[in-house]
Amino acid sequence: MKTVKHSDHSDLRLPELQTLFWQAILQPVMHSDSVDQTNLKGLVDSDAMAIYQDTVQTAHVEALKTSYPKIYALLGEQVFKGLARGYFINYPPTEPNLIAYGGRFPEWLKQAKNDVLPITQLFQKIDLSLLAQFEWAFEQGYYSEDKQFSEKDLQVLSNTEPQNIRFKIHPAIKLFYFNSNLVSVIEAELVNVVTTLKKQNPIKVSPPYLKPVVVFRDGWKMEWLKLSREEAAILQGVQNGSRWNTLSQLDGYEERVLEEWLKLGWIVQIEQIL
Amino acid sequence: MTKSEAHLSDIATPQLSAGLGLRSAHVGEIMQTLPKVGWFELLTDNHLVKGGRAKAEAYAIREHYPVSLHCVNMSIGSTDPINWDYLSGIKTLSNDLQPWVISDHLCWTSIHGQYSHELLPMPYTEESVMHIAERIRSIQDFLGRRIAIENVSTYLNFNHATLTEAEFVSSVVTEADCDFLFDVNNLYVSHKNTGEDIANYLKEVPWNRVVEMHLAGFDVRQKGNNEYLLDTHSCPVSDDVWTLYKQVLKHSGNVPTLIEWDNSIPEWSTLYQEMQKIIRIQSNEDS
């Protein structure tokens, strides 16, 4: 086998090289100094190293823009990019599939609440972290299991007492409680909302002004819907595994609610609990 | 054998020597018109999900076309343990879809359980050859079939390398007893960025193991005072790469070749026209 050249770094083994390379990728800014600090000095060209750093970090910034489009629109390119790069460095991806990247971004937003002025100002008007959780539920719901209700399940109803029945709902369903501002953000044209939010004074909210909103999958699409407080309590009960006889005691319970949820594909299984 | 199993096995290998990467935006038109395409390449990670449209599209396309599974996260060159959970998902998908090729890249994408989602470079050393070859053999044993490994675009040389890229690729393929997915655009990009010698490269390629080729577009970027090519898959194949492809075919003969266009995705007709160039070149209508 022909050899190309000999090198002073012939003792650098693969595991160490990959560790150093990855540490360089995770640096906030690529300078030739930082290459020196990671002991990659002389091993690779620092400009070329910077290309890898940039492509890796940019890919993850773009992934977060896709998962959190409303957050991106509210914060703008500069602030979002800074936040996203910080998130990448502090929470490097641990899943092979890029689709799974970004689940802790809402948490990261909350941590940045008091550190970055535009974020602080927005947080005074809407809970950005909660909005981010909504967006994440929306994004992940696309890839959730294709559960569908089976007609066979209805047979369970005819010969089982209500206290021995509970319902399982589609894995894509997530329930949120939003104030009016947040509902406006997810409902309206975002450009107008951004302008409106900038003008509005901070709003103090407390129950009962929080509105229940549910995220669900309709075929291939993700949708959301406002619920009444009573419907939300029933849905929460179903999610908590409450039995049918318990649910039927809740305010606002009607059979047609469950029937509607069956039609929407929210209920995917009727379980008999022995 | 069920009827659907028989149907899948009938169309397992490409009948046409040109293929395209499947993009969700085009699935509707493809399913309506069933155009003549040799096969569709699935970016495996897009379809390794629990459900939803992305998963359904893979199975729907497979009803009508052969498919290949193109992976990016086996992290073949990593010194982390192989991610067997991830590979199990690939195996399940492979058992369902019966792809004619499963491929991944001569690179590493993860270390210490953290994923870069980028094709990070291997130093071209004996150590790398033996390390990668062993991992490829393990993966092939697990999947029960050969995989094809692809050369990547590079932006740097490791100063302690002792082999050329061509020697490295050839050695890995021999040691691992695997197939080779020859990305002609990646060779061109590496040639421009790192000085990889094309003539020598073409002498070293293990042609009997080349099962597939890729063609794609690149961007020209600036870094300081230097220009470099970035493998973006976001535009048509360049004239220089088409020229190189014709040169490559003189060594390899006609090999199933795929257009990769993953970003700034064009209209279906544009993509289809790009694929037609492969057919014209392979039938000597475009010399």
Side-chain angles (χ1 to χ4, degrees):
Chain A
M1 191 180 288
K2 288 186 221 170
T3 56
V4 170
K5 54 195 150 196
H6 297 284
S7 162
D8 291 337
H9 293 87
S10 54
D11 58 342
L12 190 70
R13 306 308 301 272
L14 261 180
E16 191 187 352
L17 181 138
Q18 290 181 350
T19 299
L20 294 175
F21 199 100
W22 184 236
Q23 282 172 358
I25 296 277
L26 290 177
Q27 294 296 313
V29 177
M30 177 53 66
H31 294 302
S32 56
D33 285 351
S34 64
V35 172
D36 290 350
Q37 285 160 17
T38 59
N39 294 319
L40 275 172
K41 180 181 179 179
L43 197 64
V44 298
D45 173 73
S46 59
D47 275 353
M49 188 65 220
I51 294 170
Y52 283 102
Q53 189 200 40
D54 190 57
T55 54
V56 171
Q57 292 200 16
T58 299
H60 290 88
V61 170
E62 293 303 310
L64 288 178
K65 279 187 197 173
T66 303
S67 297
Y68 298 99
K70 291 196 190 328
I71 299 286
Y72 172 60
L74 285 169
L75 293 180
E77 172 72 18
Q78 286 289 87
V79 173
F80 187 90
K81 196 168 155 181
L83 206 63
R85 284 193 181 241
Y87 177 74
F88 172 75
I89 288 165
N90 285 275
Y91 295 102
T94 55
E95 294 290 333
N97 202 330
L98 189 56
I99 285 168
Y101 173 68
R104 298 185 71 178
F105 191 64
E107 207 176 305
W108 180 247
L109 265 174
K110 213 172 198 169
Q111 286 176 42
K113 190 174 160 181
N114 297 320
D115 295 340
V116 181
L117 185 59
I119 298 176
T120 310
Q121 288 170 336
L122 270 170
F123 255 105
Q124 287 171 345
K125 304 194 179 153
I126 57 169
D127 187 335
L128 277 183
S129 177
L130 191 54
L131 176 62
Q133 288 173 48
F134 170 84
E135 296 211 277
W136 185 247
F138 219 80
E139 169 72 8
Q140 292 299 296
Y142 282 117
Y143 307 108
S144 59
E145 286 173 77
D146 298 319
K147 282 247 181 235
Q148 276 185 1
F149 183 74
S150 155
E151 290 296 327
K152 247 184 348 186
D153 276 345
L154 287 172
Q155 291 167 9
V156 169
L157 293 177
S158 58
N159 54 17
T160 311
E161 296 298 319
Q163 60 265 25
N164 293 328
I165 286 175
R166 70 178 173 206
F167 305 100
K168 285 195 90 170
I169 59 169
H170 193 286
I173 285 184
K174 298 281 183 288
L175 183 60
F176 295 92
Y177 289 87
F178 288 168
N179 66 21
S180 302
N181 272 356
L182 258 179
V183 174
S184 303
V185 170
I186 65 173
E187 203 163 42
E189 284 297 318
L190 213 51
V191 169
N192 292 331
V193 167
V194 171
T195 318
T196 307
L197 280 179
K198 280 178 180 163
K199 287 182 191 163
Q200 275 180 357
N201 293 325
I203 290 177
K204 248 190 189 174
V205 288
S206 58
Y209 298 105
L210 291 176
K211 300 176 186 187
V213 163
V214 64
V215 165
F216 64 99
R217 215 174 89 186
D218 180 12
W220 300 140
K221 293 189 306 175
M222 289 303 292
E223 301 282 359
W224 66 276
L225 208 56
K226 285 185 274 195
L227 294 180
S228 68
R229 271 178 284 131
E230 292 78 14
E231 286 170 332
I234 298 167
L235 186 61
Q236 192 68 71
V238 175
Q239 284 188 307
N240 292 346
S242 297
R243 300 182 187 217
W244 193 8
N245 62 324
T246 308
L247 295 176
S248 63
Q249 306 297 318
L250 295 174
D251 287 344
Y253 174 82
E254 293 173 39
E255 300 254 340
R256 72 147 186 97
V257 168
L258 288 182
E259 280 165 15
E260 206 169 294
W261 292 357
L262 259 173
K263 272 194 216 150
L264 285 169
W266 294 12
I267 292 177
V268 293
Q269 193 180 352
I270 298 175
E271 274 189 323
Q272 185 177 5
I273 307 156
L274 298 169
Chain B
M1 188 187 274
T2 64
K3 187 178 173 188
S4 66
E5 283 166 349
H7 177 62
L8 283 184
S9 67
D10 286 344
I11 55 170
T13 51
Q15 304 302 302
L16 194 65
S17 197
L20 286 168
L22 183 74
R23 301 293 164 258
S24 196
H26 302 140
V27 170
E29 189 163 353
I30 292 166
M31 294 302 287
Q32 273 195 327
T33 60
L34 294 181
K36 274 192 186 150
V37 176
W39 80 99
F40 283 99
E41 176 184 90
L42 307 178
L43 288 178
T44 308
D45 284 1
N46 289 350
H47 308 283
L48 266 183
V49 289
K50 288 180 182 165
R53 183 174 177 162
K55 185 170 181 171
E57 282 173 350
Y59 286 77
I61 286 289
R62 184 61 185 93
E63 285 289 310
H64 301 281
Y65 295 95
V67 298
S68 60
L69 287 183
H70 194 48
C71 309
V72 292
N73 279 302
M74 288 189 193
S75 200
I76 289 176
S78 173
T79 51
D80 270 3
I82 291 172
N83 187 335
W84 295 113
D85 281 344
Y86 178 69
L87 275 167
S88 294
I90 294 172
K91 188 171 183 173
T92 302
L93 196 61
S94 172
N95 287 344
D96 283 352
L97 298 179
Q98 296 293 306
W100 74 279
V101 164
I102 300 176
S103 55
D104 205 312
H105 302 76
L106 263 178
C107 69
W108 57 290
T109 58
S110 63
I111 190 70
H112 302 307
Q114 294 173 353
Y115 286 82
S116 68
H117 303 114
E118 175 58 62
L119 309 176
L120 301 179
M122 296 295 295
Y124 301 143
T125 62
E126 284 281 353
E127 182 195 13
S128 292
V129 169
M130 302 315 288
H131 172 72
I132 280 197
E134 188 188 339
R135 285 166 71 92
I136 291 173
R137 287 194 297 267
S138 298
I139 289 168
Q140 289 182 144
D141 284 345
F142 179 77
L143 293 176
R145 57 184 291 170
R146 272 200 188 141
I147 62 171
I149 46 122
E150 180 182 341
N151 57 305
V152 297
S153 289
T154 49
Y155 307 100
L156 56 79
N157 288 315
F158 285 98
N159 295 336
H160 70 308
T162 54
L163 304 168
T164 63
E165 181 184 328
E167 287 165 346
F168 177 72
V169 167
S170 177
S171 303
V172 168
V173 169
T174 305
E175 278 293 329
D177 192 21
C178 64
D179 291 328
F180 184 40
L181 193 169
F182 184 14
D183 192 308
V184 179
N185 176 67
N186 286 351
L187 169 58
Y188 183 78
V189 168
S190 297
H191 160 69
K192 287 293 191 183
N193 289 341
T194 68
E196 184 69 27
D197 186 296
I198 288 181
N200 280 342
Y201 199 106
L202 297 184
K203 282 186 200 155
E204 293 279 351
V205 169
W207 295 110
N208 61 331
R209 291 301 177 94
V210 176
V211 294
E212 186 187 345
M213 293 189 191
H214 275 177
L215 294 166
F218 57 79
D219 276 1
V220 181
R221 300 273 174 100
Q222 245 4 82
K223 189 87 190 160
N225 293 328
N226 298 319
E227 212 173 66
Y228 68 96
L229 304 189
L230 188 67
D231 181 32
T232 55
H233 296 186
S234 62
C235 51
V237 178
S238 76
D239 289 343
D240 284 349
V241 173
W242 282 120
T243 301
L244 178 57
Y245 178 59
K246 289 173 194 170
Q247 194 184 344
V248 165
L249 290 185
K250 289 178 185 163
H251 292 264
S252 65
N254 286 347
V255 169
T257 303
L258 184 116
I259 298 288
E260 284 186 301
W261 199 325
D262 305 327
N263 299 301
S264 305
I265 293 165
E267 297 287 328
W268 166 252
S269 56
T270 303
L271 199 60
Y272 193 68
Q273 287 308 312
E274 193 79 336
M275 189 199 78
Q276 295 297 315
K277 289 184 192 171
I278 295 171
I279 296 170
R280 285 199 298 275
I281 288 172
Q282 290 197 354
S283 50
N284 292 318
E285 288 169 26
D286 182 343
S287 52

